[in-house]
Amino acid sequence: MIHIKTQHFSLNRILLLAIGLWPYQKSKFVRLQVIVIYGILISFVIFQFTALITTKCTLDFIIKIISTAIFFSFYIIKYNMFWINIHRVKNMLEQLQDICDKLKDENEIAIILKYGNNAKHCTAIFTSLAICSTFIAILMPIWPQICDTVSHINGSRQNHTIYIVTEYFIDKKEYFYLIILHINAVMCIGATTIIATGTTLLGYIIHVCGMFKIASYRIEQAMAPKVLENINVTNRTMIYKKIFYAVEIHRKAMKFANALISNFEGSFLLLIILSVISLSLNIFAVFRNALLRNKEGFFLHLIAMNIIFSFLLIGNYAGQEVINHSNHIYFTAYNVQWYVAPLRAQKMILFILQRGNKTYSLNIAGLYVPSLECFAMLTKASISYFTVLQSMQH
């Protein structure tokens, strides 16, 4: 018996519980938790834009504000997309559980367990990377104070520095640690949100790939040479059933993937557009800080750039895996000895071959298909916008 929530999404459950987005947990405390998190995230983005009111605006300054503000807006978008679709997140978990409950073949159970473990390992790896990145980002503003305390080089206290530009309309020196607390809270909540929501969606996609793999396995078993050598009444019935079940799970996988895209379609499009803009701005900020020899600003924007780049790469790689697994079903159906099978079985195989002529992919609003080719296109677009910004400096 496979328990999706406890076996494959156990770490996702902990992360989602931490930010009030676990769909099976509804209480007054969770509602309060959501309100507080929204307040912390939205207020931080607002306080970044208020810096444009009190500071003389130059191109470098505007780009610095917009690049960080858009980056932190990702946290709000990702949090909001899960919160407003929380019942759909729950429904998709239950659909996966229902599909797994209907698996009886030990090899098919082993396949879905393998893909479920892959999803769990991905979550663990990305969580570890997020913890390291967040820890480095949190240390940056207070590192000079730590070095000063340890080394005792200076008798006086070093100046407080906050590398993310904000305007709280208060004395920054006096309330330095309160401002740092707000920034650190945003980073921790944001990192948890990105990892929790992102790995949950990735887990869904990995399970779709697992279902495609099971469909290929069922076709191979139905059309095995030993079965086709002796086609009697029993074998004929078994062939029909296995091919029917292969078509059925193939259809369920596509239905599940289409539902996943349609549930978050608007948010996905917004994230893609903002990712390209933010990546371009952060590349520009990295380049400018390198020229000005501003190490703190350089590393801050470098971390943001790497996070966005990784986000685009992982999302498009997952889309590419769906395409590859879908194509594998077509290749499997084409390579088996379908012409030796009974006529009814041939018609069912022909149905799969006809479906395979058109590559199945995750299509976002008919505008974007996640794949490695599209990832290269987005990266190229980001670099092009960076060169435009760079040319404006001269």
Side-chain angles (χ1 to χ4, degrees), residues 206-218:
I206 291 173
H207 280 82
V208 168
C209 293
M211 286 185 265
F212 283 148
K213 186 69 174 178
I214 290 172
S216 299
Y217 168 77
R218 287 178 176 177

Side-chain angles (χ1 to χ4, degrees), residues 335-354:
N335 289 326
V336 295
Q337 296 178 344
W338 54 270
Y339 46 85
V340 183
L343 183 61
R344 189 179 171 188
Q346 288 185 29
K347 290 179 179 179
M348 295 172 75
I349 291 290
L350 184 62
F351 173 76
I352 296 172
L353 292 173
Q354 287 175 336

Side-chain angles (χ1 to χ4, degrees), residues 265-283:
E265 198 166 56
S267 298
F268 284 151
L269 274 179
L270 182 59
L271 286 169
I272 291 167
I273 294 168
L274 291 180
S275 293
V276 173
I277 296 171
S278 185
L279 185 58
S280 303
L281 294 176
N282 277 288
I283 292 172

Side-chain angles (χ1 to χ4, degrees), residues 2-15 96 111-129 195-196 198-207:
I2 300 172
H3 297 280
I4 288 291
K5 294 188 289 291
T6 56
Q7 287 180 256
H8 300 173
F9 290 91
S10 56
L11 185 52
N12 302 81
R13 176 180 173 274
I14 295 169
L15 293 170
L96 279 180
I111 289 170
I112 207 68
L113 282 173
K114 177 186 174 183
Y115 280 81
N117 286 330
N118 289 342
K120 192 173 180 179
H121 292 154
C122 286
T123 303
I125 292 168
F126 295 141
T127 302
S128 301
L129 291 174
I195 295 301
T199 54
T200 300
L201 294 174
L202 183 62
Y204 289 159
I205 296 298
I206 291 173
H207 280 82

Side-chain angles (χ1 to χ4, degrees), residues 14 72 92 119 156 209 251-252 305 323 345 349 364 374 386:
I14 295 169
F72 286 103
M92 297 190 82
S156 60
C209 293
R251 181 184 59 81
K252 284 182 178 179
M305 185 187 76
I323 294 172
I349 291 290
I364 302 175
C374 287
F386 157 69

